[in-house]
Amino acid sequence: MIKCQYCGYENSDNLDYCMNCSKTLPVLESSDNLEDTANMRLNDLYNLSVEDINSTNNNLNNARHNFILNDDRDVFISTFISMVIPGSGLIYLKRQKLGFVILASTIILWSLSQFLYFIAKISMVNITLSLSIILYLFNVAYTFKLAEDISLENVNR
């Protein structure tokens, strides 16, 4: 009779599973096979530890993948806020000096175009607005490129 190690039920010798709880019963072994069984169990422990290491590596890779997704989100956020307020995306990406220069330049060009048109009645609005549009497009394109470069640097680390 084989006693189940889980529930204590006495099972006949020819069964592989407990009749009471359906768990696997221990195999009766001869003394010849004890060394082989011990080696197999050591190999099983080694394989388990290797699986744990691989599982940990997969978890780290998943965490890194989530970090990269955050970088992709940062590319979107910085580009979007650069479209709304020129220079703000660069400030968001820690390029404060260039961001403030672009913001101030855009405000000066818009103010100058309004001053020239409404107060001085000079028709140079086309030039100042064209310059501000060029500056705006440069701002959005440069912010997008810079955010992607920062994202790629984080991936390569």
Side-chain angles (χ1 to χ4, degrees):
M1 299 292 282
I2 300 174
K3 187 174 183 179
C4 178
Q5 59 189 8
Y6 300 103
C7 69
Y9 185 79
E10 293 285 333
N11 295 286
S12 61
D13 291 338
N14 60 347
L15 296 176
D16 291 332
Y17 298 95
C18 177
M19 293 297 290
N20 186 39
C21 67
S22 301
K23 301 274 183 169
T24 304
L25 294 172
V27 178
L28 294 177
E29 301 170 0
S30 65
S31 60
D32 300 337
N33 295 334
L34 285 179
E35 186 176 327
D36 292 337
T37 304
N39 287 335
M40 286 174 47
R41 289 193 178 162
L42 284 174
N43 286 335
D44 290 343
L45 285 174
Y46 173 77
N47 290 336
L48 271 177
S49 64
V50 169
E51 288 173 10
D52 288 342
I53 291 170
N54 290 338
S55 173
T56 303
N57 285 339
N58 288 338
N59 290 340
L60 289 173
N61 287 336
N62 289 340
R64 185 173 181 153
H65 180 67
N66 289 337
F67 182 70
I68 293 168
L69 288 178
N70 289 340
D71 287 342
D72 291 341
R73 188 183 67 207
D74 286 345
V75 170
F76 172 76
I77 290 171
S78 60
T79 305
F80 179 75
I81 62 176
S82 264
M83 288 180 198
V84 175
I85 302 171
S88 60
L90 292 169
I91 295 168
Y92 178 78
L93 293 174
K94 310 284 191 256
R95 304 294 194 275
Q96 287 91 359
K97 289 180 184 177
L98 183 59
F100 283 120
V101 166
I102 288 177
L103 179 62
S105 301
T106 304
I107 291 171
I108 289 169
L109 284 171
W110 288 345
S111 301
L112 183 62
S113 66
Q114 296 301 314
F115 173 77
L116 290 175
Y117 185 74
F118 289 111
I119 297 173
K121 303 290 185 198
I122 300 172
S123 184
M124 289 185 61
V125 175
N126 294 340
I127 295 171
T128 55
L129 285 178
S130 297
L131 288 175
S132 67
I133 289 171
I134 290 169
L135 182 64
Y136 174 80
L137 293 174
F138 166 77
N139 163 55
V140 172
Y142 184 73
T143 302
F144 179 76
K145 177 75 171 121
L146 183 64
E148 285 221 322
D149 289 347
I150 290 171
S151 177
L152 286 176
E153 284 176 13
N154 289 337
V155 169
N156 291 334
R157 274 196 249 165

